[in-house]
Amino acid sequence: MIDVKTVMRSHVGKVRQINEDQAWSGSLPSGITAAIVADGMGGHRAGDVASSLAVDSLVQSLQVWGEGTSLKDGASSLTDMIRKANKVVYETASLNEQYHNMGTTVVSALVDGSTGLIGHIGDSRAYRLRAGRLELLTEDHTLVNELTKSGQLSPEEAAHHPRRNVLTRALGTDREVEVDVQAIDWQSGDRILLCSDGLSGLVEASDIEATLEDSALQLEEQAQKLIDLALAAGGDDNITVVLVSDEGLVNATGGETA
Ligand code: CA
């Protein structure tokens, strides 16, 4: 297992009063590196309650995930952990009038340096940069994505659709929820980007790719540049990015990944 580095940045943006995005990244007792982004929704500050509850629940579950746990057979565990977070948010919303109907997106990446797992609900995204090319790993659970898939909207129309924020699936709004979990392989030099739609909705994928490809920038500078690009594009939503990388550490130890 190799060390994997994570960098996290979040910004309220230029229009919103509060930041309803939440993120967490770090190493787990099991040696696995985890990254999470959640983008909450609901009036009267309920959105940031939903995203905080979801991230806290997931981090708690991940912390007690046993040492020696293999990601290879972790897909059902990740699904269960996200379902548990769903239950926490749903029950809090049911018991408190002011949190009624709150919910959140979630996207989570677990990486051990040779393999990984991505789990998500909603429109927060996971991308992978490999060999200079950016690849979207997740599928948005949105109305416009459904309409695009069925050919009723072009990708261009979807990008500017007035109802592009409408989710078809969210964490915490229903008692049960379907979770998308996929296994990914990890090659040396790969990078994962998790982000809220405050980035992906405002910044072209080609600009995200160019930023992550820019080897003159440190990982922290790349994360900051992504935030700056979203602000320059209007910053009309909260913006959160988490980068996951093994670069530099591989060179620093002079070794190859096993
Ligand atoms: Ca958002």
Side-chain angles (χ1 to χ4, degrees):
M1 198 171 288
I2 57 148
D3 281 329
V4 177
K5 181 178 177 176
T6 62
V7 170
M8 192 166 77
R9 288 281 186 283
S10 190
H11 195 289
V12 67
K14 288 180 162 176
V15 175
R16 304 286 182 91
Q17 297 297 312
I18 55 168
N19 192 343
E20 297 184 314
D21 289 355
Q22 280 289 331
W24 188 91
S25 69
S27 293
L28 303 172
S30 55
I32 290 164
T33 299
I36 308 166
V37 169
D39 175 352
M41 71 203 102
H44 307 291
R45 308 200 64 142
D48 68 326
V49 172
S51 58
S52 298
L53 284 173
V55 170
D56 289 351
S57 170
L58 199 46
V59 171
Q60 242 174 30
S61 300
L62 286 165
Q63 294 286 3
V64 297
W65 212 21
E67 216 169 304
T69 303
S70 166
L71 280 182
K72 283 195 173 63
D73 38 44
S76 65
S77 299
L78 181 58
T79 303
D80 289 346
M81 289 186 273
I82 294 175
R83 281 201 185 124
K84 187 176 174 192
N86 179 74
K87 195 170 169 227
V88 169
V89 175
Y90 178 77
E91 287 180 351
T92 306
S94 308
L95 294 170
N96 296 275
E97 183 78 21
Q98 75 268 34
Y99 297 149
H100 195 57
N101 279 337
M102 71 176 174
T104 182
T105 70
V106 69
V107 60
S108 171
L110 305 180
V111 169
D112 69 6
S114 62
T115 183
L117 282 176
I118 306 283
H120 89 291
I121 301 171
D123 66 351
S124 295
R125 291 180 169 182
Y127 290 91
R128 174 171 59 200
L129 187 85
R130 172 174 289 175
R133 290 195 53 194
L134 191 73
E135 178 192 357
L136 178 60
L137 299 175
T138 50
E139 188 174 290
D140 294 347
H141 301 136
T142 57
L143 182 65
V144 292
N145 189 39
E146 291 295 327
L147 294 172
T148 307
K149 280 198 296 182
S150 65
Q152 290 169 266
L153 284 180
S154 70
E156 174 65 17
E157 286 168 330
H160 300 101
H161 199 280
R163 298 187 70 203
R164 64 185 177 279
N165 295 324
V166 176
L167 299 182
T168 51
R169 230 195 278 176
L171 185 152
T173 53
D174 294 279
R175 190 177 294 278
E176 301 292 336
V177 69
E178 192 187 338
V179 186
D180 286 5
V181 172
Q182 61 177 307
I184 58 165
D185 68 317
W186 181 277
Q187 295 178 7
S188 178
D190 279 358
R191 239 166 302 158
I192 299 284
L193 163 67
L194 304 186
C195 66
S196 60
D197 67 336
L199 178 76
S200 53
L202 286 177
V203 180
E204 296 290 340
S206 57
D207 292 330
I208 296 174
E209 182 181 276
T211 303
L212 298 182
E213 241 191 332
D214 187 346
S215 55
L217 298 178
Q218 300 288 320
L219 204 62
E220 290 84 357
E221 295 170 318
Q222 292 182 343
Q224 187 58 49
K225 181 155 183 212
L226 293 175
I227 298 280
D228 292 344
L229 286 171
L231 290 171
D236 66 5
D237 197 358
N238 307 142
I239 312 145
T240 301
V241 304
V242 182
L243 291 174
V244 182
S245 172
D246 67 8
E247 260 177 273
L249 294 163
V250 176
N251 294 335
T253 57
E256 294 281 320
T257 52

